[in-house]
Amino acid sequence: EHNSFDTYTHNGFVLGHYYFNAYYQAGLRVFDISNPYYVQEVGKIETHRDPDGDGKYEKIKKPLFEGAWNLHVGLPSGNILVNDMFKGLFIVKASAPYDPPESPVVSAERGGNGDVNLSWNSGSNVRGYSVDRSFDDVTYTRIAEHLIGTSFLDSDARGKNAFYRIIAVNGEGEGVSDSVYSKFVTGDTTPPTHAPTPDGTPGNGGPQTATY
């Protein structure tokens, strides 16, 4: 009953990393779009169902063309103007739903084939993560973005030393990790698959007798 997606949507505007939408009977709805693949609703004003703002809904939302149909954002005052077809003009001001993300703590491990396994801690109110890579710790290139998980496998740094930074993102900004270094180790570190066994049979490491 309180889902904003069971009614019609009308005019919308993007301001920074937020999308403001006049959602007819659902009123004004605000979404964090810093990660377009993980959009989250972060605020609302119930202009049609709760115009007094006392938390008491006057009606259940229905897919009808009535309620908030237009809005204006980006005023120097920071005010947002919302026009409701039945309740009139609302002047509201948006506040930050949360702080920018904290900087992730990152670790990097080399696989036996030279791939780099990156992992980092999960932060609160993070909408996505990006991965930047450098081969000189000066010029960084973004190699992944809009990640939801807290790990990434880089298969393009085989045979090279590499530096990485993880960027946590939400509508209020970014949290950038310290750079982490992953050194390429030369030589084949894969253990032998047919080492001799102690009893002389192939497989475990022991003396063997050659037969001629």
Side-chain angles (χ1 to χ4, degrees):
E1 192 270 324
H2 301 304
N3 187 340
S4 64
F5 300 104
D6 55 9
T7 185
Y8 294 131
T9 179
H10 201 248
N11 288 358
F13 294 90
V14 173
L15 183 64
H17 294 294
Y18 294 100
Y19 176 65
F20 298 80
N21 190 265
Y23 232 113
Y24 277 120
Q25 286 199 359
L28 168 67
R29 299 282 168 151
V30 185
F31 301 87
D32 183 337
I33 58 172
S34 55
N35 183 347
Y37 300 98
Y38 187 50
V39 175
Q40 294 289 299
E41 182 177 306
V42 295
K44 67 176 182 177
I45 299 292
E46 293 276 2
T47 62
H48 190 70
R49 298 191 303 156
D50 183 20
D52 298 327
D54 59 6
K56 298 179 181 179
Y57 294 119
E58 297 180 356
K59 58 184 69 178
I60 296 175
K61 294 194 305 294
K62 297 179 180 179
L64 300 174
F65 294 107
E66 57 185 37
W69 71 284
N70 204 0
L71 71 157
H72 189 80
V73 301
L75 295 174
S77 64
N79 290 335
I80 301 169
L81 308 182
V82 186
N83 185 267
D84 188 288
M85 299 169 67
F86 292 89
K87 305 299 182 179
L89 177 66
F90 290 73
I91 302 176
V92 301
K93 188 182 291 288
S95 58
Y98 29 63
D99 294 327
E102 295 183 355
S103 301
V105 178
V106 189
S107 63
E109 297 181 357
R110 286 275 178 171
N113 58 358
D115 290 348
V116 181
N117 298 284
L118 299 170
S119 61
W120 55 90
N121 63 305
S122 176
S124 60
N125 297 316
V126 176
R127 298 300 170 225
Y129 298 95
S130 300
V131 181
D132 289 354
R133 181 185 62 205
S134 173
F135 294 118
D136 57 11
D137 202 20
V138 176
T139 303
Y140 280 81
T141 301
R142 183 143 301 176
I143 60 174
E145 59 185 355
H146 308 317
L147 302 177
I148 301 300
T150 55
S151 63
F152 180 77
L153 178 66
D154 183 15
S155 301
D156 296 326
R158 296 176 182 176
K160 301 177 182 178
N161 299 330
F163 301 83
Y164 297 90
R165 292 189 303 213
I166 305 300
I167 299 91
V169 179
N170 68 20
E172 290 302 305
E174 298 180 342
V176 183
S177 74
D178 294 333
S179 62
V180 60
Y181 176 58
S182 177
K183 183 178 181 179
F184 174 69
V185 180
T186 59
D188 185 7
T189 60
T190 304
T193 57
H194 297 292
T197 62
D199 61 4
T201 59
N204 260 349
Q208 297 187 65
T209 301
T211 301
Y212 298 92

